[in-house]
Amino acid sequence: MPSLDPFFTEWAERRPGQTRSLGRASALLAALGLDADRTPVLGVVGSKGKGSTATTAAAALSAAGLRTVLVTGPSFRSYRERVRVDGTSVDDAVLDALGARIDAARRDLPTVEESGGYLAPSGLFLVAGLLRAREAGADVCVLEAGMGGRRDELRLAGPEVVALGKVFAEHVGVLGADVVEIAREKTLVAGERTRALVRLPQTPEVAAEIDAALADATGGRVGAEVVDPEAEGTEPPPALRPPGLSAASGVLGAAAAARMLEHLGIPGPDRRTLHGVLATVRLPGRLSRHTVPLPAGRAPGGEAPDAEVVVDSAIDRVGVAAALAHARGLWGGVDHVLLCLPDHKDVSGAVEVLGGLPVTAVRLPEAHLRFEHALPPHWGRMDAADLTAAALAALGRRVLALGTVYFTGRVLEAVDAPTDRLFG
């Protein structure tokens, strides 16, 4: 296991009232020489689907022969997944070395108190990705923003191309008072270096705010380009898009990659090559399907049929409904649902969608999460610490696991799902 102290120390030691400091992050980039000497960046922002967008974009760029570094988060089974080269996670030794370089530069900065805030883990993994890109001679970085945009370290990286996914009323009160303010916050990740912003269709109010914010951020140089997943001939074809609600994210990622190639003056891949690479994309925890071996003796004659679990990071009624429909389409029915939604997610919507299905609600141990929402009395309860392959298998042969990435990562760990390689 890599040492995570360089990435989490300042966050873990933060005091009440302290917030992340972009000024401190900017000083760190300068100390590492990344303020000017850095790889071209394709940045991904949005309320949902950022990981699918970023992964598809990186795969499409790789199909064009470029060496890519991909930074996404949160991780599923290991923090090394936060930084990938050509779709594959760095190993623990590489992540350790990146962390050591960041830590050495951090110690030369003014103190947290003098800087007015701490270095956030998500921003430090982004810095690690930029470092790795320079060391590996990468042609392009694909960087997924954390929660925000204007207040995210991605803005400091100065993305040449921005991919903006659907904007929802997620993190209201944190990123903005309503969805329009949230859209502005995310759009303002664009800046002086930005040459293109590609977005998915939005509501009229959100679209107008994106246009206004982008004009402010770029001095009117850049106009938003809309990619419509429903338009005929849009890449990639439906069969090569991620399943469910992530399909639109795949379209956005491919379109953003095409714009980055144009910016770099590099020809795009032919369709056969592009489709060949996109066919290898695997997205853990996004309607991913996994086998869960049942304990011996569960079936007549001692031959135990395999149980299966579909894992999806759905956090609202729309996502839960889409995942349920997907699982029913695969299996014809669902034997049990595992659901992990803290109180600030759309628990009521999930309860409404799941109706009378057998459901077990899972509680995570993280102190900042609350699990006090009233649930149907017939639902079961489980602590995340008790989540094992045997526990999954005991629920039935067709299990649907839904919830936050912190939870879906635990499910993937329980079934020993491969998560180090996203595409080939």
Side-chain angles (χ1 to χ4, degrees):
M1 288 289 292
S3 171
L4 300 176
D5 287 349
F7 299 98
F8 289 93
T9 294
E10 291 194 5
W11 176 81
E13 295 177 352
R14 70 195 187 283
R15 297 176 181 176
Q18 283 185 336
T19 59
R20 70 198 299 164
S21 170
L22 287 191
R24 187 166 174 77
S26 180
L28 178 66
L29 287 170
L32 291 166
L34 292 170
D35 52 338
D37 180 19
R38 63 106 175 107
T39 306
V41 171
L42 189 163
V44 180
V45 293
S47 298
K48 189 69 174 168
K50 296 190 295 292
S52 301
T53 299
T55 301
T56 304
L61 291 166
S62 290
L66 275 62
R67 190 164 206 199
T68 64
V69 164
L70 171 65
V71 176
T72 57
S75 51
F76 290 104
R77 299 185 59 187
S78 170
Y79 284 103
R80 65 175 178 265
E81 299 165 8
R82 300 291 291 265
V83 181
R84 302 174 188 265
V85 179
D86 293 333
T88 300
S89 304
V90 298
D91 60 32
D92 290 348
V94 169
L95 189 60
D96 267 336
L98 293 170
R101 291 188 60 190
I102 289 171
D103 200 42
R106 178 183 68 84
R107 293 177 185 278
D108 289 335
L109 300 179
T111 65
V112 171
E113 288 72 22
E114 292 171 327
S115 300
Y118 58 86
L119 293 168
S122 61
L124 290 175
F125 282 112
L126 184 146
V127 173
L130 290 172
L131 271 178
R132 184 58 185 148
R134 188 169 66 188
E135 293 172 354
D139 300 297
V140 63
C141 279
V142 179
L143 306 179
E144 176 187 343
M147 184 171 59
R150 177 177 60 87
R151 289 169 283 182
D152 193 274
E153 288 79 3
L154 176 57
R155 181 172 67 84
L156 301 179
E160 280 85 355
V161 174
V162 175
L164 175 58
K166 290 285 288 185
V167 179
F168 302 110
E170 178 81 354
H171 304 299
V172 170
V174 178
L175 298 181
D178 54 33
V179 69
V180 172
E181 289 190 6
I182 292 170
R184 182 172 187 82
E185 159 71 21
K186 293 183 180 295
T187 304
L188 288 176
V189 75
E192 182 180 343
R193 285 174 164 156
T194 303
R195 295 296 177 266
L197 183 145
V198 185
R199 67 168 176 85
L200 289 176
Q202 312 281 345
T203 64
E205 297 80 9
V206 167
E209 189 61 32
I210 290 172
D211 289 341
L214 184 59
D216 291 343
T218 65
R221 291 182 297 99
V222 178
E225 304 169 27
V226 183
V227 55
D228 183 2
E230 303 301 322
E232 186 175 351
T234 301
E235 290 285 0
L240 293 178
R241 298 175 188 178
L245 299 179
S246 295
S249 299
V251 171
L252 177 62
R259 290 297 283 116
M260 176 56 89
L261 290 171
E262 290 177 16
H263 169 70
L264 296 174
I266 296 173
D270 60 72
R271 294 186 68 198
R272 180 176 179 180
T273 302
L274 174 65
H275 293 175
V277 174
L278 293 182
T280 71
V281 171
R282 298 293 180 268
L283 298 170
R286 296 172 179 90
L287 292 177
S288 56
R289 185 179 185 181
H290 310 277
T291 298
V292 186
L294 285 167
R298 285 288 301 275
E303 292 296 327
D306 285 336
E308 288 190 330
V309 58
V310 166
V311 186
D312 192 61
S313 302
I315 56 173
D316 60 18
R317 73 180 63 213
V318 175
V320 170
L324 182 60
H326 180 82
R328 283 172 167 163
L330 285 176
W331 295 323
V334 173
D335 296 326
H336 207 99
V337 179
L338 277 178
L339 180 73
C340 182
L341 291 182
D343 292 346
H344 67 282
K345 302 298 183 183
D346 185 15
V347 183
S348 298
V351 170
E352 181 179 333
V353 170
L354 296 174
L357 286 170
V359 179
T360 294
V362 181
R363 295 176 292 256
L364 292 168
E366 280 74 13
H368 67 286
L369 298 177
R370 295 286 177 267
F371 293 88
E372 299 170 0
H373 195 287
L375 300 174
H378 70 277
W379 282 21
R381 306 291 190 276
M382 175 188 289
D383 288 326
D386 299 324
L387 186 59
T388 63
L392 282 168
L395 297 175
R397 293 185 59 193
R398 303 170 300 179
V399 178
L400 179 61
L402 306 173
T404 65
V405 175
Y406 296 107
F407 163 69
T408 55
R410 288 173 179 262
V411 178
L412 295 169
E413 179 74 21
V415 300
D416 195 24
T419 56
D420 274 324
R421 187 170 183 174
L422 297 184
F423 59 86

